[in-house]
Amino acid sequence: MEWWQRLKKRDQENFRLFTRFRSALEVIAAATTWQSLRSIGSSRILSLTIAVPFIGYLIIFNDHLIDYAKIARQLLSDGRVATPEDQNSISLSNLYYLYFGLVLTGFGSLLFAVFCPSDIRQSGSLNEYIRRSEEIKSPTLVSDHLNDVMTAYNQGLEQVQGDDTAIINIRTYLTYPSRLSSLHYNLVHRIFEEHPDLYGQDERDASKTSDERSETEHETLEFDSEYDSVAEFPFNHGTEHLDVDSVSNVIVSGPSAFRHFVKEFRKYSSGSFKDVCLLRYQILDNSTPYTRITIAIFYFSGFFLLFVPTLETLYLVLSALTTA
């Protein structure tokens, strides 16, 4: 059985490596939310770099610009006579850094303009987003935002219930981090606390025949086999704890057995509209994590290349001062 122990040990080591890799990605994704990228991507000056990958070479490598970009000979002396070739070599090198830096920054700006959610791009902050949403608040908008919140939660829950090391789950952890789950739980619990009459809401009443009640019970069991009857909803099976997972599923799927409950929950959620907006904003802010990380890489690489000529010029100036 030694081979089994070795294999088990190797799997444990691989899982630890996977966990560390996922944790590192979570840190990077948390630092590169759409709101963070917006502070760069929404800049008017930076948005002009989108044109650089297409026409930048016509501008940057123009003969007149190359002449203007020449480094003064005094900075290149270092004990010898600087030649025009020395000037051209360094100037052209700096222009390469400038060109490729602007190209990478331009690609990042282009991706930001295409993939950044419009609600994030148009709102300078969470407070502004909530204020704009409240200005156009309507029952349809409340229902739409609530549906987005519940759908995102259900999708995240469905994907992480499988293999914890599956590739798709990495994206899920980045798209729907644990703090969003906490906000979601708090939102649902708050709505139930403010409106306790939601407990036990279902479609059964005295006017229904026994066949109709039996059909309702059957629909419920098809929806979720954990419930023995509609009356147990929305509690966890055999407990008195609120089953947030099933509540979220019911709001989105809307089975007829819970039609009245869904209607009442959507109506009451209007009173927690700010919380719904906050959660929806956070969901949008964390969406498409791989795209956000790619944009951040473009920005970082572009800014680094743009900074190289500055460092090189600073070095030449300091060298000239020390030899003067």
Side-chain angles (χ1 to χ4, degrees):
M1 295 296 290
E2 292 182 1
W3 65 271
W4 173 254
Q5 296 296 333
R6 290 196 301 269
L7 180 61
K8 185 177 180 180
K9 182 178 180 180
R10 189 182 309 133
D11 287 342
Q12 291 175 347
E13 292 175 353
N14 291 338
F15 183 75
R16 282 196 294 268
L17 290 175
F18 170 82
T19 304
R20 292 174 183 173
F21 172 71
R22 191 177 66 187
S23 299
L25 281 180
E26 288 178 354
V27 173
I28 296 174
T32 57
T33 60
W34 283 118
Q35 182 60 38
S36 300
L37 295 175
R38 185 186 180 280
S39 59
I40 302 175
S42 61
S43 170
R44 293 184 180 274
I45 296 177
L46 200 64
S47 62
L48 297 177
T49 60
I50 295 178
V52 173
F54 308 102
I55 63 173
Y57 68 96
L58 296 175
I59 302 174
I60 296 176
F61 294 107
N62 184 280
D63 288 337
H64 296 290
L65 182 60
I66 292 177
D67 290 335
Y68 283 120
K70 286 184 178 179
I71 299 294
R73 291 189 181 185
Q74 291 80 355
L75 298 179
L76 305 177
S77 59
D78 61 10
R80 62 181 176 82
V81 178
T83 64
E85 287 74 16
D86 294 330
Q87 287 181 294
N88 291 334
S89 176
I90 294 181
S91 299
L92 194 59
S93 175
N94 287 342
L95 288 177
Y96 279 131
Y97 283 121
L98 176 64
Y99 174 72
F100 286 110
L102 290 176
V103 165
L104 292 175
T105 306
F107 277 129
S109 299
L110 180 62
L111 290 176
F112 177 84
V114 173
F115 293 102
C116 180
S118 58
D119 287 326
I120 300 290
R121 189 168 58 250
Q122 296 171 5
S123 302
S125 63
L126 172 61
N127 292 333
E128 182 179 347
Y129 169 74
I130 294 178
R131 179 183 58 79
R132 291 176 61 252
S133 298
E134 287 191 312
E135 288 177 354
I136 57 176
K137 179 180 177 181
S138 67
T140 302
L141 183 64
V142 175
S143 180
D144 182 67
H145 282 12
L146 180 66
N147 192 67
D148 290 343
V149 168
M150 296 297 175
T151 300
Y153 178 83
N154 290 336
Q155 290 176 347
L157 182 67
E158 179 181 353
Q159 292 177 1
V160 299
Q161 283 178 341
D163 183 8
D164 192 51
T165 61
I167 296 298
I168 190 174
N169 284 337
I170 299 180
R171 183 180 181 277
T172 301
Y173 279 105
L174 301 181
T175 304
Y176 204 89
S178 57
R179 66 178 183 276
L180 295 188
S181 297
S182 300
L183 290 174
H184 185 92
Y185 269 74
N186 292 336
L187 171 64
V188 176
H189 275 278
R190 186 177 299 110
I191 293 176
F192 272 86
E193 288 175 358
E194 295 176 353
H195 306 281
D197 55 306
L198 281 172
Y199 291 101
Q201 293 272 9
D202 58 62
E203 289 296 306
R204 296 178 301 167
D205 54 51
S207 62
K208 286 188 176 182
T209 64
S210 59
D211 291 338
E212 290 175 335
R213 287 195 295 269
S214 177
E215 183 179 354
T216 300
E217 298 284 349
H218 180 68
E219 290 177 353
T220 305
L221 293 176
E222 286 184 346
F223 162 71
D224 192 340
S225 59
E226 291 186 357
Y227 292 107
D228 296 328
S229 68
V230 180
E232 290 189 4
F233 180 83
F235 298 103
N236 282 315
H237 185 64
T239 70
E240 295 183 356
H241 299 292
L242 182 64
D243 191 347
V244 175
D245 296 350
S246 294
V247 170
S248 303
N249 198 352
V250 163
I251 298 301
V252 175
S253 59
S256 59
F258 300 98
R259 184 166 52 246
H260 182 67
F261 168 81
V262 172
K263 178 182 177 181
E264 293 299 300
F265 189 92
R266 290 185 180 275
K267 181 181 69 174
Y268 291 146
S269 64
S270 179
S272 301
F273 185 62
K274 285 187 178 180
D275 293 323
V276 173
C277 289
L278 183 149
L279 189 51
R280 182 175 183 271
Y281 184 90
Q282 295 290 342
I283 291 172
L284 293 175
D285 202 21
N286 288 275
S287 61
T288 57
Y290 295 148
T291 302
R292 291 186 283 111
I293 293 175
T294 301
I295 294 174
I297 292 174
F298 275 126
Y299 280 152
F300 177 81
S301 302
F303 291 149
F304 175 78
L305 292 179
L306 291 174
F307 198 58
V308 169
T310 301
L311 292 177
E312 186 174 355
T313 303
L314 179 63
Y315 170 77
L316 292 173
V317 171
L318 293 177
S319 299
L321 289 175
T322 54
T323 57

